[in-house]
Amino acid sequence: MAGMSRRQVLRAGVAAGVSAAAGLTFPAVLRAQVKPLKIGLLLPYSKVYAVLGESITNGMRAVFEAEENRVAGRPVELLREDTEVSPPVALRKLRKFLTSDHVDFVVGPVSSAVAAAIRDPIHQARVILLNANAGDNALTRERCSSYIFRTSFSNWQTSYGLGAWVKQRVGGTAYLTGPDYAAGYQIVGAFKESFVAAGGTVVGESYVKLGSTDYAAILAQIGAAAPALSFSFFAGSDAVHFVKQFAEFGLKGKVRLTGAGFLVSDDVLESQGEAAVGGISTLHYTRTLQNPQNLEFRKRYQALTGRPPDVYAVQGHDTARVILEALRQTGGDTADPDRLSRVIRGIQFDSPRGRFRFDPATHNVINDMYVMEVRRGEEGLANYVLSVVKDLKDPGHCPNIAA
Ligand code: PHB
């Protein structure tokens, strides 16, 4: 042991398994602190949502690297597994995290379909899931769990505020589109609810396979229906294809492009270019927010990745902040999931998106939702805020979160 720093000695003691073997007796709390903190990232790193998984990961890295990759004395290990946006693949990778890696937290997924599939195994394993994207409403409503927290949004939250807004300011007829899975139906459904309640009329609605590259059939239907506006939820490469083809089809200038903000968010805008200009959407983040946390995060994220952050990066950032705050409060101890759950429920901080806090009754984040328009402005091609829906809470009710 001669010549070793105290930290190296502690590590060596843990690596040997029995600190007493080295003639040292460490208190349990010290042993717990030097155990690596294993975070299992269950995210897409391929297919339609690949960029989303990378952004979430990089947002987390930006936080942990500022902490020199140690949290409450424990070295942070990020373990990545690619879900391929597939429930069976994700279930297999989750099993590995739980039974072989013994992770302290699971972070992810991106897809609502994957989230629905992993909910029961997470709940049964009593491991904390920090859901850094998937908006499946049920996960913080009837399928909620003490061990599941959502640091992103519910699908309802991303579009409910926009329906009445566009009815009053853009027009009274809309064509609705999205991918053919839970997130598509839930996000489009929430928009429809508020648009129709405000007096709007839906003239058509269609859903396409997730990961489609050709939107001609839908665009022809939108053109034929000639509504005042189209509302869509598409994200990742789907959003790039849809928005570019919307302009190529000559719809831009005739039908107003609107959507849940993922349609024209910072991750896709550059590829969409002029086609996205004029698009109206709602989201809980745009890189143009001027709060001090965002200005700081933009610098750090740009230095780390060479590009500006997007909404997914901020969700990663906030997920890492939750882990950081939780471990500070437990002194690095992650052994008791019920204690962790109680601690996480009360965590609040100023995030690049605005004030971050959970609704303790559902474990879903409460978001300020920004209504935005894509323009070429002082920050270049970006989403600029038109108005804010403050403190939007998902209206869901969760029957079984332990008090
Ligand atoms: C989802 O499947 O819940 C989902 C995926 C991508 C998004 C938003 C929601 O951008």
Side-chain angles (χ1 to χ4, degrees):
M1 294 282 148
M4 276 188 172
S5 70
R6 178 162 171 74
R7 184 178 287 169
Q8 283 167 325
V9 170
L10 289 174
R11 276 216 190 118
V14 168
V18 205
S19 52
L24 300 164
T25 49
F26 297 123
V29 64
L30 273 184
R31 275 204 305 275
Q33 280 177 357
V34 290
K35 227 172 107 184
L37 178 72
K38 290 191 185 179
I39 304 173
L41 306 183
L42 198 61
L43 291 167
Y45 295 109
S46 62
K47 312 223 163 113
V48 51
Y49 293 151
V51 172
L52 288 62
E54 287 296 346
S55 287
I56 292 170
T57 306
N58 286 331
M60 296 185 73
R61 284 179 55 217
V63 172
F64 290 133
E65 288 188 10
E67 302 292 320
E68 295 176 354
N69 291 310
R70 295 187 81 81
V71 174
R74 294 175 65 176
V76 177
E77 280 183 15
L78 297 179
L79 284 66
R80 298 177 184 224
E81 288 291 346
D82 181 5
T83 63
E84 302 171 29
V85 204
S86 154
V89 172
L91 276 170
R92 190 157 38 80
K93 307 267 172 95
L94 174 65
R95 214 168 299 128
K96 173 182 170 286
F97 278 156
L98 298 180
T99 60
S100 161
D101 299 320
H102 300 290
V103 296
D104 296 282
F105 292 92
V106 177
V107 169
V110 159
S111 155
S112 282
V114 171
I118 65 169
R119 186 270 173 206
D120 287 350
I122 288 281
H123 183 73
Q124 280 150 17
R126 299 171 68 239
V127 64
I128 299 284
L129 174 74
L130 296 172
N131 177 350
N133 189 77
D136 180 31
N137 292 332
L139 281 201
T140 49
R141 296 183 186 177
E142 63 274 14
R143 299 193 72 210
C144 63
S145 159
S146 292
Y147 309 115
I148 296 178
F149 291 84
R150 182 149 45 205
T151 53
S152 50
F153 54 85
S154 75
N155 285 332
W156 181 92
Q157 276 173 310
T158 65
S159 57
Y160 184 79
L162 193 63
W165 198 94
V166 295
K167 164 66 182 67
Q168 280 148 18
R169 291 165 185 83
V170 179
T173 51
Y175 195 103
L176 316 180
T177 61
D180 181 18
Y181 80 105
Y185 294 104
Q186 293 177 6
I187 292 176
V188 170
F191 173 86
K192 186 175 173 178
E193 190 187 328
S194 69
F195 185 69
V196 170
T201 304
V202 173
V203 297
E205 187 168 342
S206 39
Y207 296 86
V208 288
K209 193 171 161 11
L210 181 69
S212 295
T213 52
D214 182 354
Y215 292 83
I218 285 194
L219 294 165
Q221 284 172 33
I222 298 175
L229 60 110
S230 72
F231 171 89
S232 308
F233 160 61
F234 290 112
S237 55
D238 283 0
V240 175
H241 292 302
F242 180 82
V243 170
K244 285 178 90 163
Q245 290 172 28
F246 187 92
E248 284 159 17
F249 247 75
L251 293 178
K252 194 165 141 48
K254 295 187 188 141
V255 178
R256 188 66 174 244
L257 179 77
T258 81
F262 315 107
L263 187 69
V264 286
S265 47
D266 292 295
D267 54 309
V268 289
L269 256 188
E270 211 179 292
S271 310
Q272 294 165 337
E274 199 56 33
V277 171
I280 292 181
S281 70
T282 36
L283 203 60
H284 45 288
Y285 179 74
T286 156
R287 72 173 200 272
T288 61
L289 293 179
Q290 294 300 314
N291 67 66
Q293 289 72 28
N294 190 38
L295 298 179
E296 170 66 25
F297 181 58
R298 281 181 61 168
K299 265 192 252 154
R300 212 181 304 146
Y301 194 84
Q302 183 82 37
L304 182 71
T305 65
R307 48 170 300 136
D310 53 48
V311 65
Y312 310 105
V314 170
Q315 291 167 186
H317 168 282
D318 292 348
T319 302
R321 274 295 300 272
V322 167
I323 293 174
L324 201 62
E325 300 296 328
L327 265 76
R328 280 180 182 153
Q329 289 187 39
T330 65
D333 189 354
T334 48
D336 179 353
D338 294 300
R339 176 179 178 213
L340 266 184
S341 172
R342 282 193 301 275
V343 165
I344 292 172
R345 205 177 301 174
I347 288 173
Q348 299 201 9
F349 53 88
D350 287 320
S351 149
R353 73 172 87 173
R355 188 79 188 152
F356 182 99
R357 67 256 191 250
F358 292 108
D359 176 352
T362 63
H363 291 186
N364 191 53
V365 61
I366 299 170
N367 278 327
D368 287 350
M369 296 302 298
Y370 305 101
V371 180
M372 307 180 291
E373 180 175 2
V374 178
R375 286 201 311 263
R376 289 190 188 277
E378 56 281 13
E379 304 264 4
L381 182 66
N383 285 280
Y384 294 88
V385 176
L386 302 175
S387 69
V388 186
V389 181
K390 291 289 291 175
D391 301 327
L392 191 66
K393 234 187 215 190
D394 187 275
H397 174 70
C398 168
N400 59 347
I401 284 181

